[in-house]
């Protein structure tokens, strides 16, 4: 079968990889000059099954209200005259119910664990190098209420196969001694030894190269303008240069932009952009920067050592498709980094970046066939698109090849 994958981010490239493994002829189309140039470019770098708790949880509505209008808050909702934003917000509120949060954690966790296992197989098999660190992820807490909130979530995750173990403050410092200098006391944490980190952009470029080596065609620098339709089937993809690409099946993996392309076909998706920021700090050879990947859960910030760089990323801002860099929000990330690691030189040559997470209200992605017979989705991976990349590509390839995936695909089925 000839399959066209729309989008060469982490999700599109992983889909192309596994589709090719199944023997399909695969063409990938992306408007950028290479793979992973949009949201997959400078993310937090974490392969974090332990981060399966979505933003939509019982504590979220109070937090969002408290932070409303605060320019430097971890989660900022900018009210817009945008029906898509309001509809998404209402669905987000519904997902904050305890039962739904639990169900969403389990769905995310199953996919994330499957994905992490695949990544651990793929890396040595293909000899992939992407500044990876297999030293676990430590969630730490500087706020007692946040720590108390995390404990039942960690227990739930342990029950479903993620070994997220509770640690005392002393144990946290033993896991990552760089935290010893912090000027805000650590109350406690949780540690997941099998979680990992690495440079997602380096990974996706390397995987795209390997896929090209196996015959996958990449059409870069081409904007997808429209999908053509006849009855309940897509008949082709119209590109910005007037060209038409025709295939047997189509996979929409355009991240936050997927709903915009599919809306004219009557396929409406609950995916909304959640802007996040990252700060990349160059490190000297003897830098006191952390080497274990860290999550400062209360502030929604993560830290990953990527070779001679420290990537600090996080926070969320709901403000449509605006990708401009807000100096106040970046300064808040830098300030927090300096508070936690006072011996770190965060002053010079730092790079700021913003990306739009393709967020569903539940943070559970949409994988599988739409009401159009030959149009498949692989989108909506929100905060965990790097963590779920291999797994989501694998599940999609199974569904497209009419095979039963190793995990139940029902929670991700587009409705
Ligand atoms: C600040 C931040 C930190 C994060 N940290 C982590 C983390 O630590 N761990 C983790 O697991 N996840 C993290 N994420 C989330 C993760 O980066 C995303 O979920 C993931 O990158 C989404 O991948 P994607 O392939 O769906 O989308 P994208 O990477 O955005 O790919 C979509 C592709 O579609 C292309 N495209 C869009 N529209 C068109 C069109 N009309 N025509 C042609 N091409 C088009 C784009 O060029 C792009 O290449 C983070 C995100 C952010 C913003």
């Amino acid at each position: 079968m000839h399959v066209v994958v729309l989008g060469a981010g982490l999700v599109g490239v992983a889909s192309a990889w596994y589709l090719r493994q199944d023997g399909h002829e695969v063409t990938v189309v992306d408007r950028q000059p290479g793979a992973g140039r949009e949201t997959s470019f400078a993310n937090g770098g974490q392969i974090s099954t332990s981060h399966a708790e979505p933003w939509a949880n019982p504590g979220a509505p109070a937090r969002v209200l408290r932070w409303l209008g605060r320019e430097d808050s971890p989660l900022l909702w900018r009210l817009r005259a945008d029906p898509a934003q309001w509809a998404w917000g209402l669905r987000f509120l519904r997902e904050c119910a305890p039962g739904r949060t639990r169900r969403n954690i389990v769905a995310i966790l199953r996919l994330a664990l499957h994905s992490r296992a695949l990544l651990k197989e793929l890396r040595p098999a293909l000899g992939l190098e992407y500044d990876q660190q297999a030293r676990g992820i430590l969630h730490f807490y500087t706020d007692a209420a946040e720590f108390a909130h995390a404990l039942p979530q960690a227990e739930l995750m342990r029950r479903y196969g993620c070994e997220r173990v509770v640690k005392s403050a002393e144990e946290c410092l033993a896991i990552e001694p760089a935290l010893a200098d912090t000027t805000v006391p650590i109350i406690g944490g949780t540690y997941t030894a099998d979680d990992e980190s690495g440079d997602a952009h380096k990974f996706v470029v390397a995987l795209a190269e390997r896929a090209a080596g196996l015959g996958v065609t990449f059409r870069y620098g081409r904007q997808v303008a429209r999908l053509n339709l006849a009855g309940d089937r897509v008949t082709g993809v119209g590109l910005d240069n007037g060209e038409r690409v025709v295939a047997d099946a189509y996979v929409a993996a355009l991240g936050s932009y997927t709903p915009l392309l599919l809306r004219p076909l009557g396929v409406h998706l609950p995916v909304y952009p959640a802007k996040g920021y990252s700060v990349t700090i160059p490190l000297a050879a003897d830098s006191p920067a952390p080497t274990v990947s860290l999550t400062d859960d209360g502030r929604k910030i993560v830290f990953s050592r990527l070779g001679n760089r420290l990537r600090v990323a996080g926070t969320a801002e709901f403000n449509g498709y605006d990708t401009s860099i807000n100096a106040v929000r970046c300064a808040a990330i830098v300030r927090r980094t300096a508070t936690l690691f006072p011996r770190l030189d965060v002053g010079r040559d730092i790079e700021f970046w913003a990306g739009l997470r393709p967020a569903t209200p539940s943070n559970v992605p949409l994988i599988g066939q739409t009401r159009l017979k030959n149009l498949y989705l692989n989108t909506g991976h929100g905060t965990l698109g790097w963590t779920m990349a291999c797994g989501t590509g694998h599940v999609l390839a199974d569904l497209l090849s009419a095979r039963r995936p190793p995990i139940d695909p029902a929670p991700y089925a587009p409705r």
Side-chain angles (χ1 to χ4, degrees):
M1 204 190 311
H2 180 203
V3 186
V4 169
V5 177
L6 307 175
L10 282 159
V11 172
V13 171
S15 304
W17 173 261
Y18 287 106
L19 285 164
R20 186 69 194 129
Q21 297 299 304
D22 281 347
H24 298 297
E25 180 191 345
V26 183
T27 303
V28 183
V29 184
D30 198 291
R31 61 188 170 196
Q32 296 292 342
R37 299 289 184 102
E38 296 205 0
T39 311
S40 303
F41 186 66
N43 70 18
Q46 290 193 328
I47 299 295
S48 47
T49 64
S50 53
H51 213 123
E53 187 190 11
W55 286 328
N57 61 59
R63 280 197 206 100
V64 171
L65 278 180
R66 192 167 72 238
W67 288 332
L68 211 57
R70 242 189 64 191
E71 200 59 34
D72 63 350
S73 66
L75 219 145
L76 179 60
W77 188 267
R78 288 194 200 277
L79 298 172
R80 295 166 65 96
D82 175 1
Q85 191 202 42
W86 285 83
W88 191 94
L90 288 174
R91 295 177 76 148
F92 178 87
L93 281 178
R94 205 174 60 188
E95 298 301 331
C96 292
R100 284 188 180 255
T101 303
R102 239 186 340 269
R103 190 194 60 187
N104 295 336
I105 290 176
V106 173
I108 292 166
L109 196 56
R110 287 205 168 114
L111 183 56
L113 287 169
H114 176 49
S115 196
R116 193 182 66 187
L118 288 172
L119 177 67
K120 284 177 194 270
E121 277 173 26
L122 209 56
R123 183 172 53 226
L126 301 185
L128 301 176
E129 292 291 336
Y130 49 94
D131 291 329
Q132 65 270 18
Q133 292 266 16
R135 305 194 55 192
I137 292 182
L138 176 68
H139 283 65
F140 66 87
Y141 299 86
T142 57
D143 179 286
E146 294 285 351
F147 189 36
H149 171 85
L151 298 180
Q153 313 298 340
E155 196 203 327
L156 177 67
M157 292 180 202
R158 284 196 299 278
R159 217 180 309 146
Y160 285 90
C162 169
E163 280 307 314
R164 191 176 163 188
V165 181
V166 178
K167 297 288 178 187
S168 67
E170 294 71 32
E171 288 171 320
C172 289
L173 301 193
I175 291 166
E176 181 43 78
L179 282 169
D181 299 321
T182 172
T183 55
V184 279
I186 309 282
I187 287 166
T190 65
Y191 179 60
T192 312
D194 285 338
D195 276 351
E196 303 190 346
S197 58
D199 186 324
H201 181 240
K202 283 190 178 174
F203 171 86
V204 73
V205 168
L207 189 62
E209 277 170 14
R210 298 298 199 286
L214 290 183
V216 173
T217 303
F218 285 87
R219 304 284 312 275
Y220 290 123
R222 283 283 159 251
Q223 174 92 13
V224 177
R226 73 191 63 79
L227 299 182
N228 307 123
L229 205 59
D232 60 0
R233 295 184 75 82
V234 173
T235 54
V237 178
L239 305 184
D240 56 350
N241 61 351
E243 200 185 327
R244 199 159 163 265
V245 183
V246 175
D248 302 300
Y250 302 82
V251 177
L254 299 160
S256 295
Y257 297 86
T258 316
L260 306 188
L261 194 75
L262 300 195
R263 198 177 297 155
L265 310 183
V267 177
H268 297 280
L269 307 180
V271 173
Y272 195 77
K275 180 156 75 165
Y277 292 89
S278 77
V279 174
T280 306
I281 304 167
L283 303 174
D286 58 349
S287 168
T291 53
V292 172
S293 189
L294 302 171
T295 299
D296 182 359
D297 228 352
R299 299 296 180 106
K300 310 246 171 287
I301 300 177
V302 304
F303 300 82
S304 292
R305 179 77 170 252
L306 306 175
N308 57 1
R309 300 165 294 152
L310 181 67
R311 173 74 46 76
V312 190
T315 79
E317 185 181 349
F318 295 90
N319 191 25
Y321 285 83
D322 166 44
T323 53
S324 62
I325 292 185
N326 177 310
V328 176
R329 296 186 70 71
C330 288
I333 296 177
V334 173
R335 217 169 32 246
R336 182 68 172 174
T337 306
T339 303
L340 292 166
F341 307 106
R343 291 198 301 124
L344 193 67
D345 179 7
V346 286
R348 263 170 299 148
D349 298 330
I350 54 183
E351 287 170 28
F352 298 104
W353 171 83
L356 301 177
R357 301 177 187 91
T360 60
S362 59
N363 210 38
V364 177
L366 303 166
I367 314 169
Q369 197 179 30
T370 63
R371 65 177 187 77
L372 302 172
K373 295 266 185 307
N374 60 346
L375 176 64
Y376 290 75
L377 295 179
N378 206 353
T379 189
H381 298 73
T383 57
L384 291 180
W386 170 213
T387 302
M388 300 196 267
C390 294
T392 200
H394 191 247
V395 169
L396 184 275
D398 276 347
L399 292 173
L400 210 143
S401 303
R403 250 197 334 263
R404 183 202 284 256
I407 60 169
D408 177 12
Y412 324 103
R415 294 179 186 94

